[in-house]
Amino acid sequence: MVEALREELADLTASVRAFLEWHAGTGAEGLPGHPSALHEALGASPSEGALAPRRAERGFPGPEAPSPPGPRGGSAAAGAPAPHPPEQRSAAAGSPAPHHPEQRSAAASASAPHAPDPRITAGPHPEPRTTEPQAMRPPVQAPWGPEPPPRPAVSAAAAPRADTAARANAPPPGTPEERATRLLLIAEEVRTCEKCPLHEGRTHTVFSRGSPLSEVVFVGEGPGAEEDLQGEPFVGPAGQLLDKMIAAMGYHRDDVYICNIVKCRPPKNRKPEPAEMAACSPYLTSQLALIKPKVIVALGATAVQGLIGTNEGITKLRGTWKLYKGSIPIMPTFHPAYLLRQPNAKRDVWSDLKEVMRHLGKSAPDRG
Ligand code: URA
Ligand code: SF4
């Protein structure tokens, strides 16, 4: 008898708690309009939920492999769960608030119309993706994200109201705000991603930096030690050289969008495995689908491989236009880390970047 009462009380408590949690989660008191706040309101603390295949189904070896020691240094690197400073994360997610929108759009409209370039040839295409990245779907399915509400009886009454409120506050489709919001949602999904073994050794995921309104996107291989610590791509020595390359093209480092094939650091900076690249590629596909750049600069052979699936060496590939998904021109060039070891190759890279600028209708400063 006492047992039964106790159980009933426990059930009631759970019910009330579930309702309160859910109520807080829907933001039913009134939803904020700012994109990042909206992002919170949309329930963007995704877990993989039922949408993601389990580890074994993805073709990775069974039980968790021990986290490779790697030269990351410090105890934070030893596979501890990543701390989550929210400001840093949203900044890394691609500058949701562009600094100078007018300047951006002026830059975009100043560039030449996008005429087909006869030198651009289609490369082999990666396997068609069978799973659509979660964040490419309409952002508002349910305000609590992929998890079902704990108490359907309670949620049924309030859910439509919260859903409608979230929609009313969502930025209009096709606007820069909507693009930034969607990118934030993907970055948030990446932050908790465990789709490949690289998550085991990461300190931070590394999603992007720069402007989501950029006409040019630079794609690298994957985070290095410094990027893993800071949660931003190309902030180490190779990144400093990349910034100089970008400045030579007449851009500020924050004017262009920069990301990588894989979002977690491979141990000891090894090249990402094909299965890791495949697991991570839906995120890059979504990033590029939202940004729709006029040109992609692929930094190094791994970047080209991740984008179009070719195994050719970068010495052969560089300087020759390829096509991403049949539509976006790709210029393969040497990775800046290679340039740190082989400064003589800077001349080739500069020639490739000038070709990019020609394609964009930008005048190239004369640097030989
Ligand atoms: N190398 C890369 O390919 N990406 C980074 O983000 C840093 C170094
Ligand atoms: Fe997920 Fe990509 Fe990190 Fe692998 S590398 S865990 S797929 S975010």
Side-chain angles (χ1 to χ4, degrees):
M1 176 62 187
V2 176
E3 250 333 282
L5 267 175
R6 193 172 289 147
E7 261 177 40
E8 200 171 324
L9 189 64
D11 196 38
L12 199 64
T13 311
S15 188
V16 169
R17 183 179 300 130
F19 171 71
L20 288 175
E21 279 170 4
W22 176 83
H23 191 262
T26 60
E29 313 282 23
L31 287 168
H34 187 272
S36 59
L38 170 70
H39 172 220
E40 309 265 84
L42 293 177
S45 51
S47 66
E48 285 191 294
L51 286 162
R54 288 178 202 289
R55 183 185 174 87
E57 290 161 6
R58 292 181 209 118
F60 294 110
E64 311 288 315
S67 183
R72 287 182 201 92
S75 55
H84 176 38
E87 322 72 24
Q88 186 190 340
R89 295 262 58 76
S90 35
S95 317
H99 314 298
H100 308 294
E102 323 76 19
Q103 183 189 328
R104 285 279 131 50
S105 44
S109 55
S111 57
H114 189 167
D117 189 325
R119 289 160 296 176
I120 298 170
T121 56
H125 287 279
E127 299 287 306
R129 308 283 172 222
T130 48
T131 49
E132 191 193 19
Q134 204 174 325
M136 287 305 292
R137 298 188 196 122
V140 184
Q141 287 168 334
W144 50 85
E147 301 296 334
R151 290 278 156 178
V154 176
S155 67
R161 187 182 148 199
D163 187 63
T164 310
R167 276 177 200 282
N169 280 277
T175 58
E177 290 76 20
E178 194 226 21
R179 187 187 301 188
T181 305
R182 283 178 177 253
L183 286 164
L184 271 171
L185 288 167
I186 306 168
E188 198 56 29
E189 188 181 341
V190 164
R191 200 176 61 77
T192 53
C193 177
E194 297 187 355
K195 286 200 294 174
C196 89
L198 293 183
H199 81 272
E200 290 162 11
R202 75 183 173 214
T203 310
H204 292 111
T205 54
V206 174
F207 188 67
S208 72
R209 70 168 162 97
S211 168
L213 302 180
S214 178
E215 57 189 0
V216 50
V217 168
F218 290 81
V219 179
E221 176 175 309
E226 198 53 40
E227 289 77 19
D228 175 67
L229 286 176
Q230 294 192 33
E232 266 199 58
F234 284 100
V235 288
Q240 281 154 28
L241 181 52
L242 178 61
D243 287 345
K244 287 184 186 160
M245 290 157 52
I246 290 166
M249 294 172 77
Y251 295 108
H252 187 268
R253 74 196 283 275
D254 298 331
D255 289 341
V256 298
Y257 190 86
I258 304 173
C259 58
N260 282 306
I261 297 290
V262 293
K263 316 302 189 202
C264 302
R265 185 192 181 198
K268 298 183 181 163
N269 291 349
R270 69 158 165 77
K271 188 173 135 51
E273 301 286 350
E276 292 159 353
M277 293 199 259
C280 211
S281 84
Y283 299 128
L284 181 61
T285 304
S286 304
Q287 284 172 295
L288 294 171
L290 283 164
I291 293 166
K292 297 191 188 72
K294 289 184 185 159
V295 177
I296 299 168
V297 178
L299 301 166
T302 307
V304 193
Q305 190 185 342
L307 285 162
I308 59 172
T310 177
N311 278 320
E312 266 202 281
I314 191 66
T315 311
K316 182 121 186 277
L317 286 168
R318 65 143 286 274
T320 60
W321 287 107
K322 304 286 176 223
L323 265 187
Y324 174 75
K325 294 197 185 292
S327 61
I328 306 177
I330 300 183
M331 175 53 72
T333 195
F334 290 126
H335 193 287
Y338 174 76
L339 297 184
L340 291 173
R341 300 190 300 272
Q342 299 289 338
N344 287 344
K346 284 182 187 173
R347 180 181 294 272
D348 288 336
V349 170
W350 181 234
S351 147
D352 301 342
L353 295 180
K354 279 198 292 188
E355 180 61 24
V356 167
M357 290 155 70
R358 240 191 307 278
H359 182 78
L360 293 171
K362 277 177 77 79
S363 58
D366 188 18
R367 292 171 152 247

